[in-house]
Amino acid sequence: MAKSGEVLENPATGQEIVFRRTSGDTNGTLLEVESVYTKPSPSRPPVHYHPAQEEIFRVLAGELHAVIGGRRRVLKEGETLVIPEGTRHGMWAEEAGVRVNWQTRPALRTEAFFEAVYGLASRGKTNERGVPNLLQATAIAREFADEFRLASPPWPVQRLLFAILVPLGKLLGYGA
């Protein structure tokens, strides 16, 4: 379980997450982290959405690039963006030194999602863009579907893929 002040590092993407307030600190109402980009994002993250969570991003330094609902935006230092639940989006940095205060409400199991993904990256179990192999990614996506869903393919198709690929992944030793 994450603790305030703990830092997760993703060497593939150059992104660090510093836990400021955890679900344990806020009785599950909020997860607050500071996201630090130590290098430009190697690629745009997948467009995704959170079915039951709102996110608030406040740029502390640099510029944060985003696609929200299909529209591209550049957020500058001091700007804040609220992303309502269910809104498709993706965020990335095109330069090193970008810092963002990032709040997720309610917290749900977002900390565990970060720990799973960043843990794989820190152990060299992802590609150069920070993405685990298909069977590992599918197991994580199913486990954390309440927190994070890809925008494409459609959700019913993703669920069908989970039903096929997750059991296969389990047989081969992959899990969330």
Side-chain angles (χ1 to χ4, degrees):
M1 172 153 299
K3 304 263 187 265
S4 294
E6 182 181 350
V7 179
L8 298 179
E9 298 178 40
N10 186 326
T13 65
Q15 187 178 18
E16 297 176 355
I17 290 180
V18 182
F19 290 96
R20 297 298 183 206
R21 290 189 285 171
T22 67
S23 60
D25 298 330
T26 65
N27 292 320
T29 61
L30 166 72
L31 171 64
E32 181 178 7
V33 301
E34 184 172 322
S35 180
V36 180
Y37 294 84
T38 61
K39 65 181 185 180
S41 300
S43 63
R44 289 184 185 182
V47 176
H48 63 280
Y49 66 98
H50 308 279
Q53 294 172 297
E54 172 188 80
E55 289 183 304
I56 301 172
F57 296 89
R58 185 169 50 90
V59 180
L60 304 173
E63 294 181 345
L64 184 67
H65 294 257
V67 171
I68 301 109
R71 293 185 49 219
R72 183 153 181 194
R73 288 197 51 194
V74 177
L75 300 160
K76 298 183 184 305
E77 186 173 325
E79 291 186 308
T80 298
L81 175 67
V82 176
I83 300 182
E85 66 182 51
T87 302
R88 296 164 186 245
H89 64 284
M91 308 282 186
W92 68 95
E94 293 187 356
E95 61 188 23
V98 176
R99 289 182 27 246
V100 180
N101 177 278
W102 177 3
Q103 297 182 3
T104 305
R105 297 173 193 267
L108 301 180
R109 296 182 319 128
T110 304
E111 294 158 9
F113 172 78
F114 288 149
E115 289 169 330
V117 173
Y118 280 62
L120 288 169
S122 69
R123 293 191 309 275
K125 304 278 186 183
T126 63
N127 65 21
E128 67 280 350
R129 295 179 302 138
V131 179
N133 72 45
L134 178 63
L135 295 175
Q136 184 74 68
T138 304
I140 291 169
R142 185 178 80 174
E143 179 70 21
F144 295 101
D146 289 342
E147 291 78 17
F148 177 94
R149 293 183 187 171
L150 293 174
S152 180
W155 179 238
V157 173
Q158 290 181 55
R159 289 182 42 201
L160 178 61
L161 290 172
F162 296 162
I164 297 166
L165 295 175
V166 171
L168 175 61
K170 275 189 179 180
L171 287 173
L172 297 173
Y174 294 103

